[in-house]
Amino acid sequence: MGFLDALLGNASTANKEDVTEELSRILVDGEEVDVAFKLVRDLIVFTDKRLLMVDKQGLTGKKAEYHSIPYKSISHFSIETAGRFDLDAELKIWISGAEFPAIEKLFRKDDSIYDIQKVLAAVCV
């Protein structure tokens, strides 16, 4: 996927080594990045311990919010795939005890939503 896909909101697989280096101050000792997806400037990162949602903010993207969700706290998730006229796909993640999703991410018509769903299904067994 290229630059245009990123601008349109399509996720792409991110390089694990680059993500590990970028998150070196966030990851705990021994924690490893399993797979990561880049969505424009944001990241969806699956480690061996938790799910990290990185929301880069501001004009330069230097300000960031790091949302850490232990896998055991994810009660369920859903994906809504894009259709012919509705080009947005959506990922929703609920945490234990919450009535509404804690995470909602929009994607453009793109197969990466299926890849993210497969990883979530594997870690939330």
Side-chain angles (χ1 to χ4, degrees), residues 40-84:
V40 186
R41 295 188 306 178
D42 297 345
L43 288 170
I44 300 172
V45 182
F46 294 91
T47 75
D48 57 341
K49 301 186 184 312
R50 59 189 165 155
L51 170 63
L52 282 166
M53 307 293 284
V54 182
D55 180 16
K56 295 192 178 177
Q57 303 168 0
L59 197 56
T60 63
K62 289 192 181 228
K63 180 178 180 180
E65 177 183 4
Y66 299 92
H67 194 131
S68 175
I69 305 170
Y71 294 130
K72 66 180 181 181
S73 296
I74 298 174
S75 62
H76 66 284
F77 61 91
S78 71
I79 63 167
E80 180 181 303
T81 60
R84 181 166 292 181

Side-chain angles (χ1 to χ4, degrees), residues 96-125:
S96 301
E99 181 179 349
F100 300 103
I103 302 291
E104 292 186 55
K105 288 284 185 187
L106 285 178
F107 299 80
R108 298 293 176 234
K109 192 170 188 172
D110 173 26
D111 285 342
S112 63
I113 190 86
Y114 294 106
D115 296 334
I116 293 169
Q117 184 276 151
K118 283 181 185 178
V119 176
L120 272 169
V123 297
C124 295
V125 183

